[in-house]
Amino acid sequence: MFNNYSPTPQETKLKESIIKALKEVELIREGKLPKKTAREMLKEVKEELYPE
């Protein structure tokens, strides 16, 4: 069986944002980036998904 599902542009952007956030978390854990609060991270994701 083949799946003909194609993600919407917003779903693709969300996936990219999640991947980016996970990479940032890994860099924070390694001490290569300063720590961020959950609120700061959510704000960044919202800005990427819903630019003004």
Side-chain angles (χ1 to χ4, degrees):
M1 296 178 81
F2 292 99
N3 185 355
N4 293 331
Y5 174 75
S6 180
T8 65
Q10 189 171 9
E11 288 172 329
T12 301
K13 195 169 186 180
L14 177 61
K15 181 179 177 181
E16 290 170 359
S17 292
I18 292 170
I19 291 169
K20 180 182 174 191
L22 291 173
K23 287 178 181 178
E24 286 183 15
V25 167
E26 186 61 32
L27 290 174
I28 290 168
R29 286 182 179 165
E30 293 173 0
K32 295 179 181 176
L33 284 178
K35 290 183 179 182
K36 296 182 185 178
T37 65
R39 181 172 287 175
E40 290 170 327
M41 293 180 106
L42 285 173
K43 181 180 176 187
E44 287 180 11
V45 170
K46 283 181 183 178
E47 288 172 353
E48 287 180 23
L49 290 176
Y50 307 106
E52 292 180 20

